[in-house]
Amino acid sequence: MKMDSSEKQTGEDNLQGDPTGKQEASGETESSNVQPPPENNTTSPSAFAQEAHTQAEDPSQDKAQASEQVQQQPGGCSDAVEEEEERMGMKKLSEDMYYNYDELYSRPVITADSEIPENLLHLTHSFGYDCGRRANLQLLDEGTLAFVAGNLLIFLDVRTKEQRYLRSCSGGGIGTIMAHPSNRYFAVAEKGDQPNIVIYEYPSLRPYRILRGGTGQAYSFVDFNREGTLLASVGSAPDYMLTLWEWRHEQVMLRCKAFSQDVYRVTFSPDNPGQLTTSGSGHIKFWKMASTFTGLKLQGLLGRFGKTALTDIEGYVELPDGKVVSGSEWGNMLLWDGGLIKVEICRKGGRTCHAGTIQQFALDEGELLTIGTDGAIRGWDFESIDTADCNDDSGLFEIEPMNEMVIGRNVSLSSMVKSCLPDSFIWFAQDSNGGIWKLDLSFSNITQDPECLFSFHAGVIQGMDVSSTSHLMATTTLDRSVRIFDFLAKKELTTSRYKQGGTTLTWAPRLVNPSGGLVVVGFEDGVVRLLELYNPQSLRVVAGRSRYGDAELRLKQAFKPHNAAVTAIAYERNGEILATGSMDCTVFFFTVGDRYDPIGFVTVPGPVQGLEWSPQSHDKNTLLVLCRSGHVVEVQSPDPEAQNHSTTYHISDLPTRNFTFSSIKSHIKREEEIARRQALKEKRQKEREAQLKKAKEEGLQPTEEELQDVEEEEELPPLYTPDPPSPLCCGFYSQPGAFWLSMGGYDSGFLYHCKFSEQQGEDLLQRQDEPFTFLPVQNTDEDPICTITFSSSRQLLLCGMQSGSVRAYPLQPSDFHLTSMQAFWVLSVHDNQYGQLRQVRCSFDDQFVLTTGEDGNIFSFSLLPQEDLLKALQRSQAKVPSPRVGVEMEGVAQDVEDPSAYSIETAKQKLEMDRMRREAEMRKVERRKMLAELQNQFKQLLEKNQGLPEHVRLHRTELELDWRFREETERMTAQRVREARKELAWEEERHRIGLQKLQERFWDSLESDTVTVVAFQSDHRISTYRLLALSQRFHELKQRGRVGGPGAVGQERWRNKAEASKDSSNITADQEDLGGEAVMAPHVVRPGGSKLAGRQAEKLRKATEKAERARAKIEKRRKEWAELYAAKPNENCEDPEDVRAIRLAMENMGDFKLKTAKDFTVPEHLRMNAEKKRAQLVHLEEKIHLRKTQMNSRIMALRDTKVSLVSRLRSQAQQLQAVQEHLAPHSCSPAPTLPSLLPEETPERKLRYTRTTLQRYGALRAQRACTHGHEPEGGQTLLEQLEAEIEEEEETPCHTPVEGREREVEESGVTKLEEEMREVEEIRLLYEEESLLEQMSSSMWQFDAELCLLRHEKLWLDIQMKLADLRHVTLFQELLLLKEFEKRENSLQERLNACVEEEEDLRSKLEESKQALELKRRDISKLQERERAIAATFQASLGENNKFADFLTRVFKKKIKRAKKKEKAGDYEEQEDSDEDSDEESDWDDDEDDSGSESGGPLDDSVCPPNCNSELFENTVQLRERRLDLEEFLVEERKTADNLRKECDSLVKREKVVHGSLKAAEGDLELFNREKQQKLNELDVVVPLRLHQIEFVSNGVVPCSLAPALVLNTVALGGLQERIKELQVEKSEQRDLYRQARQQHVQLIHDRKDMEAKIQSLEARCEQLMLMKFGKLVDLEALQTLSGNRNLEEMRQESRVREAAYTQELRQWEVKVTEARHAVTEVTRHHTERLLSMNSLLSQKKEMEDKLNTRQRKMGTQFQGRRHADEDERRRLYQLVQSQAQEANALRQEINILSRKGGHILPPSQALLPPLPDAPSRSTRTNPERLRHFKLGGGHPSTSSQGVE
């Protein structure tokens, strides 16, 4: 094989035929992983692990998984890998390149420099099968199966049952395996730190490719695509990384995180390349490889369960059209389409497809196969499932399987693989209960039965032990089986199954059974069974028994010493006692012999973990009991003969010693840390001393830091005690009173040497015992020792670890302190995650080591070298013990099969209690017998006493020995009665409550029972209705029905509010008032001091009155016009009567659709919901109840009539009997039979009872009990018999016939008168008899007539009630249907109501906003009117030809900055106000400049100019203030109006949106009502009809089917026919009305045109008259309201008076101004002098500064500080000059103001001063012109201001 240089660099250390690789491999014996290739081959595993770890910690990835389509790029792996490959230019691997397996597979780890051979243990066979692992069965060829067993891959030959093994390369276990579609390769995905996927070639088993860096800890599943070119792998926790490999080139194509929980499977779609599916814990995810502009990406779509319950998905299958069918935990199939569940598939009747989880799916020739945990394989029609859909809301699709095969009762299938042969129907199945099956799924007539190829243990191997005489091994698990293996012949000998699972097992030693054929097994129900193993071939042939097999297990004895699972069994060293320990914290002892007898038991502080008897070297025979809770108890061997088992088996006086383990690991860690720090400190001390010595030799002086040894010590690790305590794993004796313990949890990592304390008096729960020494065990801090065993020579210590590995420690002979336990040999055997070792045993000859683990695997190893092993294996099989003599003749031992059977102690206690109970009963019987004899003797004495004469007879009191005995007896009797009543109080209360409940249920709820009234002379009868009282629920529904449904109320409310909003009134005048009326009211300052003359005032008064009358008349006319226009109807207004008629016609007329029509729209008043339907039901029930109650009352009244009539008939019968007694028998008419009341006529008598009745019932019950419960011949019950007796007692003879008696008629002695009187009497009696008979007959006939009439009415009512019942059924069906729609209807109605409420709210807000906006507009118009009024007032105050008009107008219009009266609400408004103010100021400044320029000089508008009226000026200022106030109000009102307008616009937009939503909601509700009506139409309604009611005939014959017929009321049909005629009459009437209205309309149009012409002529005449009178068109209303302006006249009079006063005052001021001008001139002169003086001073200052600057430049650095001081002084002087210049400017302005007041005197002309300069710089040169200007601007303002003053 040729390779280029790059390939040699990447993998030559592992290639075959490379000597360099062999040398490196031979030098690295402890290496367990293949070295990863360099970076130029593929991405390093560490990089992949870092990416996976980053992605696992990134919460955004979890969020991304919940999206519909997520493009997942964890760390950019897919792009990064491809780019890296392209950049590095990676070359593809050669097709014929292979790795060397000998350099890859994991080897044992051996302590360095030890002499332990690498092949210490050599695997010989595997007896187990990890059947609980997912997909742990692969078919490599037709005869080879492959499955994972711990760290091994086992190849099992189906025919020969031979095994081949392949060890894992990582040593961390194997995660999963998968065969290539071509079966030429198979993938082994491993576990461990950065595990690899190794691709092996089959059948050479050479490593072909190694895939590195796919996950961090372990792989959970791998799968090839159909072509076999790609491999998909998914990792387990913590990264759950999904990786796609181009495995032939060991390249990663794509990778990303699959999910955040366990992922069970990943598969490629066989029909859709580029699609994958993953499933696992609570999820299924659909993946697609998509090409994007950045490269190939993986897009994941997470399946949404929707209404289906969340489930773990074990199996699924991809269909050709992209759909996916998956299983569920409850056994149904889920059809996925587009990431959603399309339908859930079940069997007919809602049955699940499987009784449990569906583990796997398979598509096989158009048939979908499902494999379930119920052991069934079912075939389903693929087309039906692919096109499955649900027609209702259940989401279920029902289908039955085409084929079905149920494997077995205790079979749980988890996976299947199909045979490699073409057209084969053979499948191999993995059974989770420990089997591998061969199945024929052809489903034909020649289908073979399922065949179990291999059977293994299922689950954790609970117990294992080896024979002490042969190479035999016994195992048991919770799968309820015990198996015997021959590990020499590598086969299973026999299996025995029981009702409960086994938990522990031990093989009896030679001392107990020399043949080695006794196995003791403990089970989970506390039973211990002794099983004999023998070879059945050695048995003597017995009839009925056949000999087969190599071994057989026979039950010798079974007993149950415990109430919980048995966890440990141990024989005493002499073989005389057997000890069993259990989870119930007890240890039971038995004597050993042909039959094991119980000795007793002791209790221990915790569940028993192990039992260890002291060896022969110890003096005392003791038992070491190891408890899981950390307690150790030493119990002396009990003496079987010294125990007393009379009452209990508990041994209380057995000497024991206790030890409670206390954790010392934290102390050990602290001591190690102290030692480490001490060593480090000493090392640093030596280094420091060496440095000091070296420095001293070099002559350097050490620094202070070097001399000080400052070192801060860190805090020591805290002491820690685990809570709860660490579990105890195992232990064994070291010497008498001392033992070794191995602890788990926190305390793992050490073997603790412990001994029992001498002080044993403390409480067990409070004890804290510490080991006296310990032994550290390397690399066991997280991997504790779970089991320990020694070889027979005790030179080899074997340890079973929690990680599934086996450790071997060579020991020195008699090394009980384990001082030689240093070097070790360790090999990973079982699964590293869940394969904790349970047992490790050496064979009796130390040639084999056997291990069992929690992963269900059983391995056999050889301790001999390969050569010695071949010699030892020359023996073909182990020797099975021969049976005992006569064992074939012995019967089957009694087994304990009932899990709830009593234990030995419980049975003992039960027997003792039974014995005590029997003794107590016997004593009671003897005492009762004695009392009976005494009572008999006393009765005999009483009889003798009664027989004596009275004078010698003793009184009863004299027979009493002592009266106190009687009182005491009576007191005790009364006390016992009270106690008995107390004891029976609960029973009495229970029966009372039961009776009360029965009465409430069956009697109180009954309003009237069935009462039957029978006629006297016929068989007619009538019965009442059995009525139940209306329940509370009925009244609640009735009350709720009165309130009405929420939907209707909401809609009605919506209509009312909508109409109210439309009819809202306009804004009233009261809302137009403003709060600032007083501020904004026009106010004119009237100058006082003058009044109008009387004539002028009278004239003004008359004009004002005339104007007021005209104004009132105009206002009245305006109101009339307003009322007239208000009464005018709107153009769109319609007559209410017409609207009502149109609405009625639309509702009741037109082309209506039937309710069954698809486009039928349900009217508002016909819409039905559940609440309305419930109200209808309540109303119907109420009417039914009322009608029945009325009929019942009439029938009961008839019954009462019969009762009174019967009593009256009886009295008449007695009268008749009395009459007939005086008549001759031949003349008496036969009396009618008197009727009696039947029991059904008075059913209430059944509930009437008295004490006598109860006593009679008790007597009958006692009589029935004496006859042993036999019923009498008639079969009557006690109640029936009692009722019969009561009726017999109450029954009296209805009629006593006249007894024939002989009348002694003495003919002699009877006179003729007497004869006549007798005849008259007889005639009277005959008349009375006839009258009585007639009355009785007529009353009975009348009663029968009334009953017949009432019966006829009731029959008619029965018909109506039946119809009502049918109506009730229909309403109830409609109610059930409406309830299904209720939830949707409520949601739609709530949505509609919400829209209605929102629209109402928006409308109300909009109306309020509009009203507020209208108010603001009116306010603004009023303010504008008042502003115009103020302007008019100002113009009026100016008068005519006022020379200061322009100035005062400028003053009036000036916009000045005013102090704000209130703070604005926000910064934005403040900013706007400031901007407006600044604009106004700038405008006003411009106006001032313009006005100043025009007038020739600026005037101060704050001061009244000369010759101007001061009151007018003040009035102008006040008007300006009022104007500015109004302007401020206007600005605020306009802002408010703008905000209101914006709010109105936003509300209008929102209203449109809400209106659209409302329309949509109404449409949805309408569609829903239509759908609901269609569903209601599907209900069948029963309408009973008579033949005369059927008018639907065809050719004179009623058709067979009445389906197309329409059922309606006859009255309605007649009304429709009459309506046709009415409509014809109405049509002609409407035509006449229309003709009249049209004529009237034409006449009104002509009248309107005439009126318009007349109005135009009158308007023209009015204008002509105005032009003639006024010369122009004027407003007549305004002209009529004009009157004299009193204010104007008063102001004119006042102005004339003031003008004369102002002229005189003006002359005086002119004189004063002249004097002031002279004074100003003088002050100006003095000021000029001061300015010149200041200028000269400034010049001097400048010269001095120049000199100082020159000197400062010549000075050195030491005078730099003084220079800073000078600069500060200069800066201070400069500021002083600036302040003086400002004062000078102020003086100039004051002078200008003073000069303007006179108007004539001006200050002397001066040159304008330049503006003030900036602060002088630090430069040495200063501009003299600037200094000169400073001097001119300086001066003393105080002097100038004094001069001016």
Side-chain angles (χ1 to χ4, degrees), residues 1083-1089 1091 1511 1515 1685-1687 1690-1691 1694 1698:
H1083 176 69
V1084 179
V1085 180
R1086 299 179 181 179
K1091 297 289 181 178
E1511 292 184 1
N1515 184 27
N1685 193 342
R1686 185 180 185 84
N1687 295 334
E1690 291 180 354
M1691 291 177 67
E1694 188 178 1
R1698 289 185 178 182

Side-chain angles (χ1 to χ4, degrees), residues 20 402 542 710 720 723 818 859 929 998 1081 1217 1257 1342 1393:
T20 305
M402 299 169 56
V542 180
V710 179
Y720 173 72
D723 186 22
L818 304 180
F859 296 109
K929 185 177 180 182
L998 288 174
Q1217 182 182 359
Y1257 176 77
Q1342 185 178 2
N1393 293 340

Side-chain angles (χ1 to χ4, degrees), residues 863-962:
L863 267 171
L864 300 177
Q866 187 70 19
E867 298 78 9
D868 298 340
L869 177 63
L870 294 176
K871 295 178 182 179
L873 294 179
Q874 290 178 358
R875 300 190 300 273
S876 61
Q877 61 182 9
K879 180 183 178 181
V880 179
S882 300
R884 290 185 292 110
V885 178
V887 67
E888 68 276 7
M889 303 302 296
E890 294 181 1
V892 180
Q894 185 179 0
D895 198 0
V896 183
E897 296 183 352
D898 186 7
S900 60
Y902 292 137
S903 63
I904 295 176
E905 174 63 16
T906 306
K908 185 71 175 177
Q909 296 291 338
K910 180 70 175 174
L911 291 174
E912 183 64 21
M913 291 297 295
D914 292 343
R915 185 186 61 80
M916 295 173 62
R917 190 178 293 107
R918 285 195 302 271
E919 291 179 356
E921 289 295 334
M922 290 176 64
R923 287 196 296 270
K924 289 181 180 179
V925 170
E926 292 177 356
R927 290 183 179 179
R928 289 189 184 121
K929 185 177 180 182
M930 187 183 299
L931 286 173
E933 292 178 355
L934 292 175
Q935 287 177 356
N936 291 332
Q937 292 177 8
F938 186 69
K939 287 181 180 179
Q940 293 175 3
L941 290 176
L942 289 178
E943 291 176 357
K944 289 181 180 180
N945 185 39
Q946 290 295 331
L948 294 176
E950 188 176 355
H951 64 278
V952 280
R953 187 186 304 165
L954 296 177
H955 194 265
R956 184 62 181 268
T957 56
E958 295 177 349
L959 294 176
E960 295 181 1
L961 296 179
D962 192 350

Side-chain angles (χ1 to χ4, degrees), residues 1476-1490:
E1476 292 175 359
D1477 294 341
S1478 62
D1479 295 341
E1480 293 171 358
E1481 290 174 1
S1482 62
D1483 295 340
W1484 171 233
D1485 294 339
D1486 296 340
D1487 295 341
E1488 286 185 346
D1489 295 340
D1490 296 340

Side-chain angles (χ1 to χ4, degrees), residues 154-293:
I154 299 179
F155 303 94
L156 180 60
D157 194 310
V158 177
R159 301 180 184 87
T160 63
K161 299 185 179 181
E162 294 181 356
Q163 295 181 357
R164 289 186 295 168
Y165 311 101
L166 197 68
R167 276 197 62 82
S168 68
C169 296
S170 63
I174 298 176
T176 184
I177 58 174
M178 180 58 65
H180 192 269
S182 65
N183 288 340
R184 290 185 53 201
Y185 307 96
F186 62 91
V188 179
E190 301 188 344
K191 298 180 182 180
D193 188 15
Q194 299 298 321
N196 300 327
I197 300 176
V198 184
I199 311 295
Y200 292 90
E201 186 189 44
Y202 186 80
S204 64
L205 303 184
R206 292 187 298 172
Y208 183 60
R209 292 292 182 265
I210 300 177
L211 310 180
R212 302 174 176 88
T215 188
Q217 293 297 327
Y219 289 97
S220 60
F221 203 86
V222 294
D223 184 51
F224 290 94
N225 63 346
R226 171 177 278 186
E227 295 77 14
T229 58
L230 300 179
L231 176 70
S233 67
V234 63
S236 62
D239 51 11
Y240 306 109
M241 193 64 64
L242 173 63
T243 310
L244 268 64
W245 308 83
E246 191 178 349
W247 61 272
R248 291 185 183 274
H249 306 293
E250 300 182 356
Q251 297 179 9
V252 177
M253 290 182 59
L254 296 169
R255 61 180 300 181
C256 66
K257 186 172 182 179
F259 200 63
S260 59
Q261 297 181 13
D262 292 340
V263 183
Y264 302 152
R265 293 171 60 88
V266 58
T267 56
F268 286 93
S269 174
D271 302 292
N272 300 299
Q275 293 186 9
L276 298 92
T277 306
T278 60
S279 70
S281 176
H283 80 282
I284 185 171
K285 205 167 186 179
F286 311 101
W287 302 87
K288 183 179 180 181
M289 291 185 289
S291 299
T292 63
F293 66 93

Side-chain angles (χ1 to χ4, degrees), residues 1461-1477:
K1461 296 183 179 180
K1462 59 180 180 179
E1463 296 294 334
K1464 299 298 180 182
D1467 298 338
Y1468 180 76
E1469 295 178 358
E1470 293 178 359
Q1471 184 178 0
E1472 288 183 350
D1473 294 339
S1474 62
D1475 295 341
E1476 292 175 359
D1477 294 341

